[in-house]
Amino acid sequence: MRVGFAVFPGFQMMSLAAGSVFEFANICSGEAIYELATVSEQGGLVRSSTGMDVATRPLAGEAFDTLLVGGGVGVPCPSEGLTAWIATCLPAVRRLGGICTGAFVLAEAGQLDGRRATTHWLVAHELRSRFPAVRVEEDRIFIVDGPVWTSAGMTAGVDLALAMVEKDLGREIAQSVARKLVMYHRRAGGQTQHSELLELAPRSDRVQSALNFARRNLQAELSVEQLAEAAALSPRQFSRVFRAETGQSPAKAVEQLRVEAARLMLEQTRHPVEIVARETGFADPERMRRAFLRAFGQPPQVLRRAARSAA
């Protein structure tokens, strides 16, 4: 299966990281299932946003099973030639994908009209505004709508590629690839782009260790004393350092982690709300409902129905 990566001047190098997924799929399967090629409108050297040049083949005459269009640091402005070629590549290719802001190239070519799509959350509003025919869902890692795949920010392109490998070769190969790439796991397409650990962004390893401990032990009570012990600080010192680094109390941070975990369980499993509340440390559904209202302005059941409807 030939996988093409279409680039343009100023493309972001991280777009090509998804190529490693297909490379290691060949290694894990023991045979050359995927053949990779980098293409551009004219071929030759194409300069990335980092200033590094990448050798490419011209689009004309190339045939692919899967074509992925990379993104740029900002919203890309594809050439007329590239746009025209993307506009006609379906159904000649089995899968067409846009990584990060590569979704704008697909939208410009009309390939996202009437389809669900995602992109980097920073520019999702612009995608929606410029292309009203596209059903933009900015809070998704990747979205598959028929033969068209789109992903969120750059690293999400790796998740998208892993999902393609899983679709082609099965879960076992995909998991083996993820392990070799030192990925914890492939994020599900419906998973939110945002992570509470990223939002908290502690500066010190000690506070980070306490947050990691909390995330691994959400079912526990998670008192300040427990978190302070994980951080190797006294409770008083821990509370002071934690607030200074994250801007909030340990209790509020733990609630955010529980809300994030509960939302993922609601979106990705069929567990009853009672079990989700217990597994994520809320103890009872009412406490979880109040936390969801504070975080999202909606109760858990509404978010679950929205996720199922999207699926």
Side-chain angles (χ1 to χ4, degrees):
M1 290 180 277
R2 297 195 73 227
V3 180
F5 288 83
V7 299
F8 45 83
F11 78 97
Q12 220 291 321
M13 288 290 289
M14 192 68 185
S15 302
L16 300 180
S20 295
V21 174
F22 300 105
E23 175 190 6
F24 275 85
N26 289 342
I27 294 171
C28 293
S29 62
E31 55 181 310
I33 294 173
Y34 297 105
E35 177 188 344
L36 307 182
T38 307
V39 296
S40 64
E41 182 181 358
Q42 302 295 335
L45 294 178
V46 176
R47 179 148 297 185
S48 70
S49 61
T50 65
M52 298 173 65
D53 294 330
V54 173
T56 67
R57 303 176 186 176
L59 286 171
E62 294 286 344
F64 298 105
D65 169 82
T66 299
L67 179 68
L68 298 176
V69 182
V73 173
V75 174
C77 297
S79 65
E80 292 184 4
L82 176 61
T83 302
W85 193 81
I86 298 295
T88 60
C89 68
L90 286 177
V93 300
R94 178 168 64 99
R95 289 182 301 217
L96 175 64
I99 297 175
C100 191
T101 56
F104 281 83
V105 182
L106 270 56
E108 190 72 42
Q111 297 287 19
L112 296 184
D113 288 355
R115 298 185 187 274
R116 296 170 55 237
T118 193
T119 188
H120 196 293
W121 60 271
L122 275 172
V123 293
H125 66 286
E126 185 171 347
L127 182 65
R128 181 182 291 109
S129 175
R130 285 179 53 183
F131 304 100
V134 181
R135 294 155 56 193
V136 179
E137 298 180 22
E138 63 267 36
D139 199 21
R140 291 292 179 264
I141 295 298
F142 65 86
I143 287 178
V144 183
D145 192 324
V148 180
W149 300 52
T150 51
S151 80
M154 293 301 180
T155 59
V158 176
D159 297 285
L160 180 146
L162 272 173
M164 288 181 170
V165 168
E166 184 173 326
K167 185 80 170 176
D168 293 340
L169 307 180
R171 184 175 180 81
E172 185 176 341
I173 293 293
Q175 288 179 330
S176 181
V177 171
R179 285 194 296 270
K180 285 181 171 58
L181 293 178
V182 199
M183 295 179 65
Y184 175 61
H185 61 84
R186 175 178 70 77
R187 293 176 290 181
Q191 184 172 331
T192 176
Q193 291 188 29
H194 303 282
S195 166
E196 293 301 340
L197 284 180
L198 289 176
E199 293 292 331
L200 293 169
R203 295 188 298 274
S204 69
D205 289 342
R206 288 188 172 187
V207 174
Q208 184 68 60
S209 295
L211 286 170
N212 289 335
F213 172 82
R215 202 165 197 177
R216 293 193 304 267
N217 298 275
L218 289 178
Q219 287 181 295
E221 182 180 348
L222 293 177
S223 64
V224 171
E225 288 74 18
Q226 288 176 300
L227 297 175
E229 183 178 353
L233 295 169
S234 70
R236 183 176 179 180
Q237 186 181 14
F238 172 74
S239 295
R240 184 175 66 253
V241 171
F242 191 94
R243 185 176 289 277
E245 292 194 13
T246 67
Q248 57 188 265
S249 68
K252 180 63 177 176
V254 167
E255 179 179 284
Q256 287 181 311
L257 294 178
R258 285 181 167 140
V259 164
E260 180 183 77
R263 177 178 176 176
L264 289 178
M265 284 190 70
L266 287 167
E267 291 181 344
Q268 299 176 14
T269 75
R270 294 185 176 275
H271 293 315
V273 172
E274 293 78 8
I275 292 179
V276 174
R278 186 179 69 231
E279 291 293 315
T280 54
F282 282 109
D284 64 75
E286 179 56 27
R287 286 181 60 186
M288 186 172 79
R289 188 187 73 84
R290 292 197 298 268
F292 267 62
L293 289 174
R294 285 191 292 271
F296 307 118
Q298 296 178 320
Q301 293 87 343
V302 172
L303 293 177
R304 167 170 271 180
R305 284 196 296 270
R308 288 181 177 176
S309 175

